[in-house]
Amino acid sequence: MAVRGTNGTVNEWSSNFDVGADTSDYWDQANPSWANKANHKGFDVTKNRLKAKVDAYVKQYVTAPASDQIYYVTGHSRGAALGNLLAKDLIDSYSSSKVFSYTFATPNNTTSSSAASSKYKGLFSILNTDDIIPQMPLKDWGFTNYGQIREVSVREKYKFEKNKYSSGKAKGDALDAKGTFEWLTRYKYNHDSGTKRTLFLFGILAKNRDGLYRYSDGIKGLDAFIIPLESKDEYYKK
């Protein structure tokens, strides 16, 4: 099963940003389609619709014994977040079957304490640490993915670092080093180094997911964008 990413509509973009919090400060706390409050609300609601479709398909068309069934799930970006949650649910409900997922640029999608359980060891999230998308919502807010996370920095490993195939010009802009991003795609790797700075600012705006829906401290966030000179701890002490 391949789960597509965001289709560009306002509905799906708003769903991406709809983190949700199990607090009365959050306007949609009681949404009946948000089954797992530990999960990112927008992703969880959509995943539940997908799971219902999968269950209906399996019930109608799949005749093989459960022990012979193998499910592979993949997706990118929003589709990766959904795919990771969907694969987790398939493991929970199709316990006699095998389930694997390989998702790419997977946004963080859960605060569940069972996310790293060995039960979900067949779920893999493959991330480029230069990319801000798989680092949102923040780890500092308790978010992660189910299963195993595999990370690499394209900037560090496939652009600037010389390797055994280098002719000596691989550092920087060269296109001749086998295995680099430029060699593979024939495009220069466009990395503006702003990811850490942006994540830092998000961390100032809220301490946790509940804080995203408390508006009384809004001026602090505004100040942070104007003068981001201090660490988060120093900032909150003030």
Side-chain angles (χ1 to χ4, degrees):
M1 290 171 277
V3 186
R4 67 161 177 79
T6 308
N7 66 2
T9 62
V10 171
N11 285 344
E12 291 200 1
W13 272 112
S14 61
S15 171
N16 292 343
F17 284 102
D18 191 9
V19 176
D22 195 12
T23 169
S24 58
D25 291 318
Y26 175 52
W27 65 276
D28 203 24
Q29 179 190 14
N31 189 315
S33 298
W34 185 19
N36 188 338
K37 292 294 192 293
N39 292 346
H40 177 295
K41 184 257 190 171
F43 296 153
D44 191 69
V45 169
T46 308
K47 175 269 298 178
N48 291 332
R49 295 172 187 153
L50 291 174
K51 178 63 163 48
K53 295 290 186 182
V54 172
D55 287 344
Y57 182 92
V58 170
K59 182 178 181 180
Q60 183 171 355
Y61 296 109
V62 178
T63 57
S67 57
D68 291 343
Q69 296 172 22
I70 304 177
Y71 296 87
Y72 293 96
V73 184
T74 190
H76 172 260
S77 195
R78 173 183 169 86
L82 299 175
N84 179 257
L85 294 178
L86 175 61
K88 180 266 184 190
D89 275 14
L90 290 174
I91 289 173
D92 291 345
S93 41
Y94 298 176
S95 57
S96 299
S97 304
K98 294 182 176 65
V99 180
F100 303 94
S101 73
Y102 304 90
T103 55
F104 302 88
T106 316
N108 290 322
N109 56 16
T110 190
T111 57
S112 172
S113 59
S114 65
S117 168
S118 60
K119 182 179 182 181
Y120 308 120
K121 65 182 180 181
L123 313 185
F124 294 88
S125 295
I126 297 92
L127 317 178
N128 172 14
T129 57
D130 308 335
D131 183 2
I132 195 171
I133 298 301
Q135 299 182 68
M136 294 294 294
L138 299 184
K139 287 182 180 179
D140 285 352
W141 298 340
F143 278 91
T144 186
N145 302 129
Y146 287 98
Q148 303 187 55
I149 296 174
R150 296 289 185 265
E151 297 179 336
V152 66
S153 166
V154 171
R155 180 177 183 271
E156 291 178 6
K157 298 296 183 182
Y158 297 103
K159 177 175 173 60
F160 296 109
E161 197 175 74
K162 290 184 180 181
N163 61 38
K164 64 182 180 180
Y165 299 107
S166 173
S167 67
K169 300 177 182 178
K171 210 164 182 69
D173 298 331
L175 295 172
D176 66 336
K178 246 184 182 179
T180 62
F181 179 90
E182 287 93 342
W183 170 82
L184 177 66
T185 66
R186 308 311 295 176
Y187 288 99
K188 293 170 69 65
Y189 185 59
N190 182 16
H191 174 64
D192 69 3
S193 303
T195 299
K196 289 183 179 179
R197 179 177 65 250
T198 306
L199 292 171
F200 168 78
L201 293 173
F202 273 119
I204 288 176
L205 288 172
K207 291 182 180 181
N208 50 47
R209 70 188 298 178
D210 292 2
L212 294 171
Y213 301 97
R214 296 191 188 115
Y215 303 105
S216 59
D217 290 337
I219 188 65
K220 288 185 178 180
L222 180 61
D223 287 345
F225 275 98
I226 296 171
I227 314 175
L229 300 178
E230 303 158 293
S231 74
K232 283 180 286 186
D233 290 339
E234 292 170 340
Y235 190 82
Y236 279 124
K237 284 178 184 177
K238 286 191 174 183

